Amino acid sequence: MAPLGGAPRLVLLFSGKRKSGKDFVTETLQSRLGGNICAVLRLSGPLKEQYAREHGLDFQRLLDASTYKEAYRRDMIRWGEEKRQADPGFFCRKIVEGVSQPVWLVSDTRRGSDIQWFQEAYGAVTQTVRVVASEQSRQHRGWVFTPGRGRPSSGRSQ
């Protein structure tokens, strides 16, 4: 049985490396389909909100591309993985609560467990979309290779 939220007719799970254009693609699709038809859902929102709450941090500053967020990135990733290990659907359930539009675009699907949760919850209406951009395009958008965050050509979602 599907979790709280409406029964979607289409769920698109977007993945891709950092600065590949996932947000651009999902926001463009939403603007063309209309906000009454299409909802853009972000897994990183509830993760950052819960992390900020539990660690006494500024949630709004964790949402932007700032040095503030970068200072907490490694610990936030570790913490998020611990939450997912304890409950793989923790963040997924949070983003679908109360969504009534028939088309859902999940703009930042980074983990196999997230994909699995949506596929199990919503079945055949769930599809995956991989957004790909050249390293040059990503750099033009502000991406900088950071040692310890994976190799530029590793295929890992950065």
Side-chain angles (χ1 to χ4, degrees), residues 90-106:
F90 182 80
F91 300 113
C92 298
R93 281 192 307 278
K94 287 196 173 294
I95 66 167
V96 302
E97 289 176 0
V99 179
S100 60
Q101 294 92 329
V103 177
W104 299 357
L105 309 177
V106 183

Side-chain angles (χ1 to χ4, degrees), residues 56-151:
L57 300 174
D58 184 336
F59 168 58
Q60 291 302 317
R61 292 187 66 197
L62 289 177
L63 290 175
D64 61 28
S66 65
T67 55
Y68 183 84
K69 177 177 76 176
E70 292 302 318
Y72 297 103
R73 180 183 292 279
R74 280 185 189 264
D75 188 60
M76 193 166 30
I77 290 169
R78 179 202 52 77
W79 175 88
E81 289 304 317
E82 288 174 2
K83 284 284 192 197
R84 282 184 176 93
Q85 285 178 352
D87 177 1
F90 182 80
F91 300 113
C92 298
R93 281 192 307 278
K94 287 196 173 294
I95 66 167
V96 302
E97 289 176 0
V99 179
S100 60
Q101 294 92 329
V103 177
W104 299 357
L105 309 177
V106 183
S107 68
D108 57 350
T109 311
R110 293 186 174 91
R111 305 289 183 272
S113 60
D114 297 332
I115 293 169
Q116 182 178 353
W117 185 88
F118 276 99
Q119 289 173 334
E120 289 174 2
Y122 299 104
V125 301
T126 304
Q127 300 293 318
T128 59
V129 178
R130 180 74 175 175
V131 179
V132 178
S134 70
E135 190 173 316
Q136 181 180 1
S137 293
R138 294 172 61 221
Q139 288 173 343
H140 182 70
R141 296 173 186 150
W143 174 77
V144 177
F145 174 69
T146 306
R149 299 265 340 256
R151 299 168 50 113

Side-chain angles (χ1 to χ4, degrees), residues 15-23 109-110 130-135 138 141 143 150-158:
S15 66
K17 293 182 177 185
R18 290 178 69 216
K19 299 292 185 181
S20 64
K22 299 178 300 292
D23 287 332
T109 311
R110 293 186 174 91
R130 180 74 175 175
V131 179
V132 178
S134 70
E135 190 173 316
R138 294 172 61 221
R141 296 173 186 150
W143 174 77
R151 299 168 50 113
S153 59
S154 69
R156 215 182 103 210
S157 185
Q158 297 177 356

